């Protein structure tokens, strides 16, 4: 199987996953969940929009919640570039790729570039935000899971290889991947910031947002977030975990927010910088992929996602030996 | 509903849950599990028997594993008495109750009293064991879940009220209990040592041993035990949790040992000493009884138990509105 | 050396350390410290008095702060009895001992008995308090060190053997003790509730209160209390630790409150119930008594204490080879 | 005060602190300390040399211990480059700077470049090492502090501004710094890998190595490392902490190894990627620089260091208002 090689000197410098924009029905309900359970800090509330950041983050926002009616959706996935020069270089690149880049004005961000990637995922890039004080040592004000910073997104797309190819050209490195027995890619973990993932693509109808993940300092904070969730009536929203991932090795918990958006808290990253580290290969049939220990995820964890606003969802194209949800669940059930 | 009042000056002084005797097929397999995952310390191996204690325990054993063929079973549930005088007083009491007490010689225990309680559960009592050095500060040798000491047993019996009545006369206090809407007792948590439980009885065919519980110092040790279990191939044996109990408030994980015996690790006890504290009442329909957060237990957690060796199992007697497993699982499934 | 044997059936049943009454200059300053750093819960504020309890405690109070001018002092050390009958039996005992017992009325306590023990320490006993809801699972409201419950007191007295003798007659068991090379007692750890200490006596001018200790669930809560203290300007009040005790094995931190009263947070208790466990002997010259690891305590930790209000302090009587603070500090300094 | 601006496109790509080479007297003594207390993994032992790596590291070594007689010393500080091309570009750069670069052969490393920086610190650079399996999920084999990966070095040098200037030209970014009241630089925290430090320079006679720091996942691992150290007889080697740093915000403990080399374990990093984040300024007189809470460091923490083998030590040059150790200690003592 031929996987893309890392591009050592990419055409522009994307530095990290930056922020996500979600629509929600009730800002007050969202505030209670994100502040008490997840432990994010409200930077600003303006024009029906809440801007949140993690307790260590000096950027203005990593989670943007916008009040809207209709099906809750994701409006944009954001990435940071190092400098304005990188943004300019990226515009040229995306234009050449036929991605229809556009400059836009976004509150509390520097010059911002909108692009739709070949999987249909709506992206935005910027190189600046207003600087806020890090609250990492404001210990008396930390709440719930103490979400420290945004880490990565997981997106379902019908053609994982196309995503891998495009993001590799932008300089993303493949850290881990999951394949079927006949070498069909089922998942790719891609990164820029030197640990396992900034963005993850999984095989499925898409593009759809599966979850946004925030890094949390310790295992105890995952347990605390669960306990706070349980004590405030969000117990049913603890959808999966605490458990341990195979790929990436992190301990995790998945929550559903009041609008059904899925938030992962996790910890225990490893560093992924040296270029001699080959991507880690996982077989989709390996039970350690999902469940080194702990209960299998509930069916809704596999099935339910957040749509991208205004973006059509395409089914995966036919392939020799498709992994169906039924087969996957059946295999897991047998194993347990 | 009339619940037994605590007997302030009981006829003899039972001090605590003491030890359990289980049969196993393969001592080497048991050793690996109990030493690496649960973190118990081997005090002695003699005559096809392993004697284990927790890292803080100064007593010779709290878990006894005896090699045997056939269905793995529990031979005895052990309780400690304060003194030899208490043992003698107990003998008289049990004789009067028709429990057929008998003095027996047991290795590594002082004079030992065998009794079968009215639920059919085989008990043994002693007031002395050889004293071993506590290993609580031998930090370099602690393993897995760092099981600190034995805490309690859970037994399924067809008549919970009879168990409550008999153990109350022996001086056990009721700390928490679970009832149906029409006030049928479904579970009682009984204690002598000043925290929520030394022995727990639940409604069901019995007597059968549901689990033995060891106290572990911190939430991190529950996670560590799961991680060690997963990394050594016992991942499937992590049967339920990590999660948070309603009654007793503890964080817990349930493991199945290589013979299928169920071991609970838990932490976060509260003190229960003052007599003005009324027993805590839980409704069996309250979702917080089992799952303030986290996934419902798997079916096998409800169904599978360890038999008492040579003890017949009786079904619960008919009652107006029985809680069936099917109804319980169905209710839980609806809730999730 | 002849140490008292445990009295298996004492004249009355003291169950545990219960509460302490301290005077403070500024209730608002005390509130901020005890609620944010220590994590106690305010049950009631009435008549210039704050009544606090730990997050698991169902009793009305374990710490009572009374506004007063003058040198901050301790008014009473409180112990619980099991029942009213025990209180009555105790009255007779203390009268016979010449301790001048007196019945008093105290808000939020049942009938209360005042006594001065032979060391001059003012005690009070009661068997009842109003019952409050345990807040152990109100996770969103837990603060700082999450103090769970009161555990013990440490008192300096000029004649440790006299304290040991008197408390043993009341049914306290000696769990650990510290002696000089010529077998002079320097410290005794005495308990009723089944773990290492309810009250500790150390050799020195007295009676004076060295500290009150609250149990906290995990090592992380000790670190959190320090971090909150540092972030709120109480950093200088972190007087000793985090460190590990020799006797009792607990991990600890000592704080000074705004009036200079010393509060210990600690965890990692062991159970001490079986009567065959001999008291643990420590030599005062053993460096592991105080410092298995970590920096030596500051001089003020040895020298500064809280006086008992209106109680004269006596110097220790002469003895063959006195342990002076200077000698002790010099020995420690050499070792480091 | 004029601080260097980050060089966005440096002449070559140094990616991270990589490894340190120390001499030790007794390999067996070193093994016990580094494996049991610090928790490093031995990759290879060859020719009187131990090669260690952290539990997550896929590189062959991050700590190299070489048996030698005489004063224990540091032979080299290692940095990683991204690629062989970067190494070649660096050679040219260092030649131009008069740093006398030299290609050398080092076991278990790709082509290696030796350089002495303007402060006299002996550096080595490579772009490749043999790849080893990460052991981050081999939970049953983790020991002591579970050191996860190397993070940074601290070096004392007589001219901090010269170090800042040279490392900035190599692409290091200044994350935090400490200055006197008259703006003399006392400490600079420099980084390449996106968190606060790969190398730190402090003002003092030098060049001398103050410590090497390993990242550890959680606060509990710092406590565990202390407990293991205490239980194995290394208690005196717990030189400072657990405590919380001002700059960098990390929780830390400093250990002295059997040869006196100082090892820091710490956790709680923040991400430092966005270029709009200005370096954080600290005043040397601010008590929160060193001690937001906890005891002041012992004198030996300030005075004792590891020499670089064969490198002469120069005293700091005269300056208007020198910070002497005596003044610093005196100020700290007053504060406590």
């Amino acid at each position: 199987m031929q996987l893309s090689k890392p591009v050592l000197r990419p055409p522009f410098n994307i530095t990290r996953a930056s922020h996500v924009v979600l629509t929600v029905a009730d800002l007050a309900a969202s505030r209670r969940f994100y502040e008490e359970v997840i432990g994010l800090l409200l930077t600003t509330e303006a024009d029906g929009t809440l801007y949140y950041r993690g307790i260590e983050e000096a950027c203005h926002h990593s989670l943007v919640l916008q009040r809207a009616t209709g099906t809750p959706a994701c409006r944009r996935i954001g990435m940071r570039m190092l400098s304005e020069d990188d943004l300019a270089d990226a515009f040229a690149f995306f234009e050449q790729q036929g991605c229809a880049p556009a400059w836009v004005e976004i509150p509390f961000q520097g010059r911002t570039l909108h692009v739709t990637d070949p999987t249909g995922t709506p992206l935005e890039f910027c190189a600046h935000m207003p600087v806020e004080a890090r609250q990492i040592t404001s210990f008396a004000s930390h709440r719930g899971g103490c979400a420290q910073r945004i880490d990565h997104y997981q997106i379902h797309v019908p053609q994982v290889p196309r995503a891998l190819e495009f993001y590799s050209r932008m300089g993303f490195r493949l850290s881990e991947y999951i394949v079927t027995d006949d070498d069909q890619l089922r998942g790719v973990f891609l990164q820029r910031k030197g640990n396992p993932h900034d963005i993850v693509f999984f095989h499925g109808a898409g593009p759809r947002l599966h979850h946004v993940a925030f890094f949390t300092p310790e295992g105890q904070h995952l347990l605390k977030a669960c306990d706070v969730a349980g004590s405030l009536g969000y117990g049913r929203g603890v959808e999966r975990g605490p458990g341990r991932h195979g790929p990436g090795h992190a301990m995790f918990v998945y929550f559903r927010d009041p609008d059904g958006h899925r938030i992962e808290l996790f910890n225990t990253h490893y560093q992924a910088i040296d270029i001699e580290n080959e991507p880690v290969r996982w077989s989709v049939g390996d039970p350690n992929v999902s469940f080194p220990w702990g209960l299998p995820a509930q069916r809704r964890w596999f099935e339910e996602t957040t749509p991208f606003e205004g973006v059509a969802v395409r089914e995966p194209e036919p392939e020799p030996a498709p992994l169906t949800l039924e087969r996957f669940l059946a295999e897991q059930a047998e194993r347990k």
Side-chain angles (χ1 to χ4, degrees), chain A:
Chain A
M1 175 175 211
Q2 181 63 35
L3 290 172
S4 321
K5 278 286 168 196
V7 175
L8 297 188
R9 300 190 180 183
F12 45 87
N13 192 346
I14 297 174
T15 55
R16 62 179 184 90
S18 160
H19 61 282
V20 63
V21 185
L22 303 174
T23 67
V24 300
D26 176 349
L27 292 179
S30 296
R31 283 193 63 155
R32 185 163 181 265
F33 175 80
Y34 282 102
E35 296 175 18
E36 294 293 325
V37 177
I38 304 300
L40 289 170
L41 303 174
L42 184 66
T43 304
T44 310
E45 175 165 10
D47 301 321
T49 302
L50 301 170
Y51 296 88
Y52 280 104
R53 67 189 199 281
I55 61 168
E56 74 153 60
E57 289 183 309
C59 59
H60 183 272
H61 54 266
S62 53
L63 174 69
V64 180
L65 301 179
Q66 300 184 327
R67 187 175 44 222
T69 54
T71 304
C74 175
R75 285 182 166 154
R76 288 274 161 186
I77 295 293
M79 296 277 179
R80 263 302 179 96
M81 300 243 183
L82 184 64
S83 69
E84 296 292 328
D85 287 350
D86 293 300
L87 278 176
D89 292 345
F91 189 97
F93 172 88
F94 289 124
E95 203 158 41
Q96 189 184 24
Q97 300 297 317
C99 296
W103 296 112
V104 295
E105 294 292 319
I106 304 286
F108 307 109
Q109 293 178 196
R111 193 162 71 138
T112 298
L113 182 58
H114 273 188
V115 168
T116 296
D117 78 12
T119 76
T121 303
L123 304 173
E124 78 180 31
F125 298 91
C126 67
H128 290 290
M129 280 188 192
V131 175
E132 303 292 329
R134 299 182 195 272
Q135 299 296 313
I136 193 169
T137 57
S138 301
F139 297 101
S141 68
H142 294 171
R143 313 289 294 160
C146 286
Q148 214 172 311
R149 58 176 180 261
I150 195 169
D151 187 81
H152 67 268
Y153 320 106
Q154 182 172 319
I155 316 280
H156 285 192
V157 296
Q159 283 192 318
V160 171
R162 180 178 296 176
L164 171 61
E165 191 271 339
F166 189 78
Y167 280 77
S168 296
R169 292 179 59 201
M170 290 198 287
F172 284 81
R173 287 183 54 189
L174 183 66
S175 57
E176 311 209 4
Y177 62 100
I178 302 173
V179 289
T180 60
D181 290 346
D182 58 343
D183 269 358
Q184 302 289 319
L185 275 176
R186 282 297 166 266
V188 292
F189 299 77
L190 293 157
Q191 62 100 355
R192 282 292 302 163
K193 70 181 173 305
N195 51 35
H197 29 39
D198 287 287
I199 192 163
V200 175
F201 291 99
F202 262 75
H203 178 78
R208 296 177 299 156
L209 175 66
H210 185 268
H211 68 263
V212 183
F214 286 84
F215 179 82
T216 196
E218 307 200 346
Q220 49 145 309
H221 298 105
L222 301 182
L223 298 176
K224 177 74 180 280
C226 290
D227 274 335
V228 170
S231 70
L232 296 183
Y234 298 108
R236 194 185 175 282
V238 180
E239 190 183 63
R240 184 180 170 201
R244 172 75 66 183
H245 283 306
H249 302 322
M251 188 167 284
F252 66 84
V253 185
Y254 290 91
F255 298 88
R256 300 295 287 273
D257 85 355
D259 292 274
H261 302 303
R262 186 178 288 109
I263 302 295
E264 181 186 14
L265 292 181
F266 78 105
N267 73 347
T268 336
H269 251 345
Y270 64 87
Q271 210 172 57
I273 295 178
D274 307 340
I275 56 170
E276 70 252 31
N277 297 141
E278 292 294 322
V280 179
R281 186 185 196 277
W282 296 87
S283 164
V284 78
D286 178 353
N288 288 324
V289 167
S290 301
F291 315 117
W293 54 265
L295 302 194
Q298 294 174 289
R299 175 177 283 251
R300 60 182 170 135
W301 187 86
F302 293 100
E303 289 181 345
E304 297 175 13
T305 55
T306 293
F308 288 104
E309 194 174 52
V311 176
V313 168
R314 284 169 295 133
E315 290 298 316
E317 286 150 35
E319 38 168 359
L323 172 77
T324 62
L325 171 66
E326 278 64 32
R327 205 182 89 207
F328 188 71
L329 284 173
E331 284 166 5
Q332 293 302 337
E334 266 170 35
R335 198 177 64 80
K336 286 286 163 179

